[in-house]
Amino acid sequence: MIAGIIGATGYAGAELVRLLAGHPNITALALASVSFEGNRIDYIYPNLLRQVRTPLIKPEAVLEEAHVVFGALPSGVGESYAKQCMEKGIPFIDLSADFRFDDDEATFSAWYGKPFVYPALRARSVYGLPELNREKIKERAASGPVIIGNPGCYPTGASLGAYPALALGLAGTGTIIVDAASGITGGGREPSRSFHYPECADALAPYKIGCHRHTPEISRNFRFMAAGEGHQEAPPLIFTPHLAPMNRGILSTIYIPLHDTWRVQVPRSPEPRPPAQELKDQEALIQARYAIFYRDEPFVRVLPAGSTAATNWVRHSNYCDISVHLDPTGTTLILVTAIDNMVKGAAGQAVQNMNLIFGFDETAGLTAIPGSF
Amino acid sequence: MIAGIIGATGYAGAELVRLLAGHPNITALALASVSFEGNRIDYIYPNLLRQVRTPLIKPEAVLEEAHVVFGALPSGVGESYAKQCMEKGIPFIDLSADFRFDDDEATFSAWYGKPFVYPALRARSVYGLPELNREKIKERAASGPVIIGNPGCYPTGASLGAYPALALGLAGTGTIIVDAASGITGGGREPSRSFHYPECADALAPYKIGCHRHTPEISRNFRFMAAGEGHQEAPPLIFTPHLAPMNRGILSTIYIPLHDTWRVQVPRSPEPRPPAQELKDQEALIQARYAIFYRDEPFVRVLPAGSTAATNWVRHSNYCDISVHLDPTGTTLILVTAIDNMVKGAAGQAVQNMNLIFGFDETAGLTAIPGSF
Amino acid sequence: MIAGIIGATGYAGAELVRLLAGHPNITALALASVSFEGNRIDYIYPNLLRQVRTPLIKPEAVLEEAHVVFGALPSGVGESYAKQCMEKGIPFIDLSADFRFDDDEATFSAWYGKPFVYPALRARSVYGLPELNREKIKERAASGPVIIGNPGCYPTGASLGAYPALALGLAGTGTIIVDAASGITGGGREPSRSFHYPECADALAPYKIGCHRHTPEISRNFRFMAAGEGHQEAPPLIFTPHLAPMNRGILSTIYIPLHDTWRVQVPRSPEPRPPAQELKDQEALIQARYAIFYRDEPFVRVLPAGSTAATNWVRHSNYCDISVHLDPTGTTLILVTAIDNMVKGAAGQAVQNMNLIFGFDETAGLTAIPGSF
Amino acid sequence: MIAGIIGATGYAGAELVRLLAGHPNITALALASVSFEGNRIDYIYPNLLRQVRTPLIKPEAVLEEAHVVFGALPSGVGESYAKQCMEKGIPFIDLSADFRFDDDEATFSAWYGKPFVYPALRARSVYGLPELNREKIKERAASGPVIIGNPGCYPTGASLGAYPALALGLAGTGTIIVDAASGITGGGREPSRSFHYPECADALAPYKIGCHRHTPEISRNFRFMAAGEGHQEAPPLIFTPHLAPMNRGILSTIYIPLHDTWRVQVPRSPEPRPPAQELKDQEALIQARYAIFYRDEPFVRVLPAGSTAATNWVRHSNYCDISVHLDPTGTTLILVTAIDNMVKGAAGQAVQNMNLIFGFDETAGLTAIPGSF
């Protein structure tokens, strides 16, 4: 089977190339790049030398050759390719935000500043977070060519961390805070001041506080995740992204006020005291619920109680690591999630969606063990 | 005037050496180091070559020579030196936690696992956060030899960020969350797995969630800061420290639920919308309150509305930068503070305290401009 | 087939685990660690969770189960395991320096400060640089159980860069300089001041100038490589290692004075001039010789003329990238080689040797594409 | 005295601002920036908040106000400002390459691809390496307004390392190799792929091998330094720059073949042996010559024998650290030099030149102690 990528020379595109070139069900790649058409992918990315010699061709040529097309393009650019794929009868997996909001054009246009190009395409699209939508993805794929709205990197880490708490009724009604930090590849391959080495090395800073475009995607996911438990709507959300001096990874620290029934009564003293055994027991109990909730998920690892998730243990893999903590006041659940922003946060999840669509083993092409350092 | 340092070869000690060697009122240093006694400080720290050739002597010898003594030692070790200073009639500025809790031995021992060694010394000690306790520090120094409990690094960043909100009544009663990240020098000079380069480079992780020893210090500060406004007690506190791959700096992102009178009513929609002008106006208003609150503070820079604090702009300086943000739900104030953990978070603040004690210009020895990169 | 590792929790051991767990011919691992016996490898290295759950057992138990044993131990510790393997009739692949010097005990003991433990074992050992010794490795393996002296990290990068120049007679008799820099994982997993994050982050320094233990190994390789061309001995060698602030990778810049017949006559001017076309032509010619020389090597990539090798393009792979340059005075060949110090410089090369011994495809288990970032 | 900077918002310009704002003889700054005219320097560089509030004005306005003008501009742009300064009778300190080659226009234009704009200006210019040209700088300044050709960053580190060897006759006639690595600020403030964080973090690579523009400047310096000893010309030079993942610093490892009289006879063995005492003695002897040579230089620190220079000990300072080593074959002197590329390699050296011109203490404004980490 031939996989096509439009936008193959951006960071997400290059990571797709790396993953698909090692995928057991993919026999060839068809790669398009506007910036480097006529060149060869391994001349742009020398790590691919000897491994992938594919020439960079026009998008139209990719659409002709491929049995599945990945769009690794800025928002608004890929819809016409999605349309052509639908007409041709092959799936389109879109890594931009264009198809992440189903038919909620109001939310999309409020945050992305433009309307849907072909609104009708949403009849064929589905939000591609497999842990939430696996059956829906398969169903839609079974009924004809499908468009995947592949999730954003921050929403993936935030949603997988909060999902069990929301679905199992651990969460109360208070505001959920997602405090997250991304490695610099999250900014893409185009040079700019923000991602210029001397500006971001050895430094840490938040950015776009309260106005990052991933906010509505996270909020929507939280609402859907909570819905099954009878919540009319999800708790209010605060999302604060940071830029951290590392290449890969997103770490999310998620604060969820507990439902009353899950709180632990902590004796008040003028100053706080170290956590009592009772708190640790409750923490272990919730960790167990998380572990059971994700028991069958191939790419979610709920860490043992007492461990803490960190970006270095998931590097180059499709894993989302989750650790479960209870704050010492007994009122708030703290989840820490770690993903590789370019794999589970982008290209890896896209491959996972392809596997679901075609009925491949869901882990095909995604079995690499994370690096030890 | 001769300044003495006990524990001169640890990271905080070495930073004290650097700052005091350039201090206009200090004519000589007396340096003690158990690990390197008999050696010379510039052989241990080659950056000091040509600049500081002071030999490393016994603590007793330092106590004899010095007119002021800094203790850069682990908790529990420095009290006897503090006692000797009091007997000798000279000030002792302690960078450990021993004197940070006034006479609240219960809190100290609950978190540090040991009792006060000489409880009576607290009659001479004062918590050395100048922005909170400037007058108290001066008063105590005026009445005899004083012991300074120099604040912890995280408590400095967290407290300066929250102070105006607490003192001006912006804060409501909800839980305050301090999500902070430190550079690796915060772990000290002793090698260990956690701070071994390959374990922490290019990676990000929280640690000691809910059980970091700086928790009660932050909480106590919040209580004191809020007290003037009639609050019986401070809001509950959640503090989550992270380790970030950088040498210097602490970034704190602080979430404070607003008092009802300061909230902004945001029209609910199924999904959140980008922040409206009304929110930005309120944000600018609160920023102005912050700017006025800290108007006369030499080391606190409240950034213009729309800016975001970052660790790189305060490197090697005693500044605490603060930026003010309002979350898009209109209910929560978000403060970002950046300090150099080894300067305002340790050695610089200690020098600031010395300046206060001796009536020097408060900025003496602390005027270096932060590096541009 | 079961692969055993003694010293599985050091960095080289952990990298062996990662590679062997994904090797198509290995069905199980047997892992020994003195420090963590009784524990499980994925509790020590959380990246291995869900992937490798092997318990850490005694070396003796590993020797009983395994069909091949890797020694990832300090020099001097592994010989007894090698001996037991020989007695049991299974190969031992040693990542220490113990078997890198054949029967030249004088050189080994001069640099490592101790004698061979069981000198007779050298009758079964062979230096495991496949590009140099492939046939010898196969022959020895065919004739009984073999011991592999797996090459050092620096010697691998230096030797592969110089090999064609030495073997093809491009090198003259002048001193060869190898100026190389290693990532910090080269220092191993044990914490120490040299590899403490704040001491080596954002900094660069040479170390052990003129006295690094890899010097005689490089020199001996050069001699062997040159021998075929009638040189009595190799040119004198200067080797200067540096420590660079990165996790993985060794970059070697190698200066080889050209044989007279290969020099380019450059017109002298008081000051040098930019390289003329003639020099670029000669550079391209030598690049072509290099490319032909390594044509059939699966893990050596000679970059196109005009490119420059860099550590980031080989990360996590067994490749050695080589770029070929001619200095503007026309007298010196400059080779740049890049390897991942933990893969081609240690664990990956060990697996390559295992593949050779057992007649597996030489690239089995080593086909991962290097990361794009 | 008012100091003017044209090009104040580039990295070299910003570093000049930081240094001059703290200079005891400078009372005000006049700053020009084409890109940010009308803005304020502390809005572009927030580290300067509270410290430097200078507005960014037109170059013409700077020329009117200032008593000395620094040009921090690309080559070819600054000559007209130099001309205006000469006409006005004030010194111009140029950080570009325009005035580094005296009247050797042939060399300049061969490497920089353009002619001198106003060749006659060279009658007033002098190459500003104080350790080489101190008296010449002072003389020219005494005779009228002077133009300083401030040295390049690599040439500073290379030249100061080789100077004693060349001047004292330690160097023979063989090729000198300068293998050097720079931090990323060396690439300037303009974003580009080469300096984009994910492309250069955690990686090491040489660049422009044999064709870096600093080659003729280094070569010319070597020739001048050797001249006093009767050498007709300097030894041939090979210069290889690398890019290292750090913000500041240049480390140079310099290989100089020793003059016969300085060589140490080392007994040949098939493989090299660790360095004998005789070598260490000779190394100490040469170190002593170096120490004496630079005895009175305020900014050159010759490290004790046995130490090794490293970039981290000179960060943020105007020091050049030099360590002296002898290679184990006894034929080659190895010098390691470390500078902060933005201070001694650019802005700091420019301030040192200003101090010389005006007869200030040569260290004025440059007394900051390097950071300990």
Side-chain angles (χ1 to χ4, degrees), chain D residues 64-120:
Chain D
E64 274 190 32
E65 292 183 23
H67 303 99
V68 57
V69 174
F70 294 84
L73 298 158
S75 277
V77 179
E79 286 208 35
S80 73
Y81 301 121
K83 186 155 172 289
Q84 293 174 64
C85 284
M86 293 307 99
E87 289 162 4
K88 220 192 131 190
I90 61 169
F92 183 77
I93 300 173
D94 185 41
L95 279 75
S96 85
D98 290 349
F99 295 98
R100 291 179 191 159
F101 293 92
D102 300 340
D103 58 0
D104 183 0
E105 187 169 0
T107 295
F108 175 81
S109 63
W111 288 88
Y112 290 83
K114 49 192 156 194
F116 286 162
V117 182
Y118 301 105

Side-chain angles (χ1 to χ4, degrees), chain A residues 75-77 79 98 104-119 122:
Chain A
S75 278
V77 179
E79 286 207 36
D98 291 349
D104 182 3
E105 188 170 358
T107 295
F108 175 80
S109 63
W111 289 88
Y112 289 83
K114 48 192 156 192
F116 287 162
V117 181
Y118 301 106
R122 274 70 197 175

Side-chain angles (χ1 to χ4, degrees), chain A residues 6 59-60 63 73 76-87 92 98-99 117-118 121:
Chain A
I6 302 178
E60 292 68 31
L63 287 167
L73 298 158
V77 179
E79 286 207 36
S80 72
Y81 301 121
K83 186 155 171 288
Q84 291 174 66
C85 283
M86 293 307 99
E87 289 162 4
F92 183 78
D98 291 349
F99 295 98
V117 181
Y118 301 106
L121 288 175

Side-chain angles (χ1 to χ4, degrees), chain C residues 44-102:
Chain C
I44 312 299
Y45 284 94
N47 60 304
L48 300 174
L49 283 167
R50 287 273 180 103
Q51 297 264 4
V52 190
R53 300 159 188 266
T54 316
L56 296 162
I57 56 179
K58 284 188 195 304
E60 292 69 31
V62 166
L63 287 167
E64 272 189 35
E65 292 183 22
H67 302 100
V68 56
V69 174
F70 294 84
L73 298 158
S75 277
V77 179
E79 285 207 37
S80 72
Y81 302 120
K83 187 155 170 287
Q84 293 175 65
C85 284
M86 293 308 99
E87 288 161 5
K88 218 191 132 191
I90 61 169
F92 184 77
I93 300 173
D94 185 42
L95 278 76
S96 85
D98 291 348
F99 295 97
R100 291 179 191 159
F101 293 91
D102 300 341

Side-chain angles (χ1 to χ4, degrees), chain B residues 11 36 184-185 188-193 195-202 245-247, chain C residues 11 36 184-185 188-193 195-202 245-247:
Chain B
Y11 281 162
F36 297 97
I184 318 277
T185 50
R189 191 173 183 246
E190 273 319 295
S192 73
R193 179 107 342 122
F195 312 125
H196 190 49
Y197 187 95
E199 303 286 325
C200 51
D202 208 47
M246 56 187 187
N247 264 350
Chain C
Y11 281 164
F36 298 97
I184 318 278
T185 50
R189 190 173 184 247
E190 273 319 295
S192 73
R193 179 107 341 121
F195 311 124
H196 190 49
Y197 187 95
E199 304 287 323
C200 51
D202 207 47
M246 57 188 185
N247 263 351

Side-chain angles (χ1 to χ4, degrees), chain B residues 48-345:
Chain B
L48 300 175
L49 282 167
R50 287 273 181 102
Q51 297 265 5
V52 190
R53 301 158 188 268
T54 316
L56 296 162
I57 56 178
K58 283 190 193 306
E60 291 68 31
V62 166
L63 287 167
E64 274 189 32
E65 293 183 21
H67 302 99
V68 57
V69 174
F70 294 83
L73 297 160
S75 278
V77 180
E79 285 207 36
S80 72
Y81 301 120
K83 187 155 169 287
Q84 292 174 65
C85 284
M86 292 309 98
E87 289 161 6
K88 218 191 132 191
I90 61 170
F92 183 77
I93 300 174
D94 185 42
L95 278 76
S96 85
D98 291 349
F99 295 98
R100 289 179 192 158
F101 293 92
D102 300 339
D103 58 0
D104 182 3
E105 189 171 356
T107 295
F108 176 79
S109 62
W111 289 87
Y112 289 83
K114 49 191 156 196
F116 287 161
V117 181
Y118 300 105
L121 289 175
R122 274 70 198 173
R124 296 296 323 144
S125 77
V126 57
Y127 184 67
L129 186 64
E131 290 77 8
L132 175 66
N133 274 353
R134 184 175 286 109
E135 292 316 311
K136 218 163 150 186
I137 295 166
K138 286 188 191 172
E139 279 166 28
R140 189 138 311 180
S143 73
V146 66
I147 298 169
I148 298 287
N150 206 57
C153 50
Y154 284 119
T156 297
S159 303
L160 293 178
Y163 191 8
L166 293 164
L168 302 175
L170 280 70
T173 55
T175 300
I176 296 180
I177 293 178
V178 175
D179 189 289
S182 172
I184 318 277
T185 50
R189 191 173 183 246
E190 273 319 295
S192 73
R193 179 107 342 122
S194 304
F195 312 125
H196 190 49
Y197 187 95
E199 303 286 325
C200 51
D202 208 47
L204 189 64
Y207 66 101
K208 294 192 186 163
I209 298 180
C211 59
H212 192 285
R213 289 171 167 185
H214 284 174
T215 308
E217 187 181 341
I218 299 172
S219 177
R220 193 269 324 269
N221 290 359
F222 283 6
R223 199 155 53 80
F224 281 15
M225 289 168 160
E229 293 302 302
H231 294 281
Q232 294 291 20
E233 53 184 25
L237 166 71
I238 297 176
F239 167 53
T240 314
H242 296 67
L243 203 61
M246 56 187 187
N247 264 350
R248 289 164 173 266
I250 285 185
L251 188 93
S252 305
T253 308
I254 306 166
Y255 301 88
I256 302 182
L258 283 167
H259 192 275
D260 287 349
T261 56
W262 283 91
R263 296 188 173 204
V264 178
Q265 204 64 34
V266 175
R268 283 303 295 262
S269 59
E271 250 56 81
R273 290 287 177 263
Q277 189 55 44
E278 210 182 338
L279 272 159
K280 291 177 190 171
D281 293 346
Q282 182 79 332
E283 185 175 287
L285 186 64
I286 299 178
Q287 188 275 346
R289 297 289 172 111
Y290 261 70
I292 292 168
F293 186 89
Y294 279 129
R295 194 175 27 190
D296 298 325
E297 281 300 336
F299 294 118
V300 180
R301 302 192 294 196
V302 177
L303 302 189
S307 300
T308 305
T311 59
N312 42 334
W313 306 121
V314 298
R315 273 193 287 231
H316 293 263
S317 86
N318 202 46
Y319 284 121
C320 175
D321 278 5
I322 303 179
S323 65
V324 177
H325 313 268
L326 196 56
D327 101 282
T329 71
T331 63
T332 306
L333 181 61
I334 305 176
L335 289 320
V336 180
T337 71
I339 60 170
D340 183 317
N341 60 318
M342 299 307 294
V343 187
K344 184 62 178 170

